[in-house]
Amino acid sequence: MSTHPDQARTHLDFPFRIDTRGRSADTTDEDHVRDLIEQLLFTVPGERVNRPDFGSGALHLVFAPADQELAGAVEYSLQAALQRWLGDVIQVERVQVESEDSELRITVGYVLLTTGDPGTAVLERETGP
């Protein structure tokens, strides 16, 4: 989408929904980046037909044994996925993964490349029955 420098960019909100005006809901740049992070982290590789290597496999982590070595490896692999797929939008500063029972919490600290503003995305997902 091309925009004039004086125009604000609009992005479709995720998940897709209809707003109160009866139109496709849109969102801010900051929320759009958070939505992109969520889509990447909670997409299983192979789930997207045209991009079979897109995703992180983070949802499989809930069932992995919890220890420091695994946590470090997982954080590193998630950071690599974020840099690969969103490296033109954000600079990843930190990734923290916590898993308890059937809940996964991922915290991503980043800097928006367009503005230099810092951001944090805290994403939680229940994976149990």
Side-chain angles (χ1 to χ4, degrees):
M1 163 188 302
S2 67
T3 59
H4 187 275
D6 296 333
Q7 293 177 325
R9 295 180 80 182
T10 58
H11 306 279
L12 289 178
D13 200 8
F14 173 80
F16 181 80
R17 64 184 174 81
I18 303 299
D19 66 12
T20 56
R21 303 169 298 174
R23 300 179 183 173
S24 300
D26 56 10
T27 190
T28 64
D29 285 341
E30 293 80 15
D31 190 51
H32 177 65
V33 168
R34 188 208 168 280
D35 292 344
L36 292 173
I37 293 169
E38 180 178 5
Q39 290 174 51
L40 173 64
L41 295 181
F42 295 132
T43 297
V44 178
E47 189 174 338
R48 293 194 177 181
V49 175
N50 293 329
R51 284 193 174 170
D53 53 342
F54 180 83
S56 71
L59 292 177
H60 296 298
L61 304 175
V62 173
F63 303 106
D67 64 19
Q68 289 296 68
E69 289 94 19
L70 179 63
V74 166
E75 289 170 2
Y76 179 79
S77 69
L78 294 181
Q79 185 163 350
L82 287 161
Q83 280 303 128
R84 176 180 179 199
W85 292 103
L86 300 179
D88 59 335
V89 178
I90 61 172
Q91 173 62 48
V92 179
E93 298 290 313
R94 67 182 174 87
V95 176
Q96 181 179 359
V97 178
E98 301 170 79
S99 176
E100 188 172 317
D101 297 325
S102 63
E103 183 173 289
L104 181 66
R105 177 181 297 128
I106 302 171
T107 304
V108 178
Y110 59 89
V111 174
L112 290 172
L113 294 180
T114 56
T115 63
D117 293 338
T120 302
V122 179
L123 305 161
E124 297 177 344
R125 185 66 53 101
E126 283 273 335
T127 60

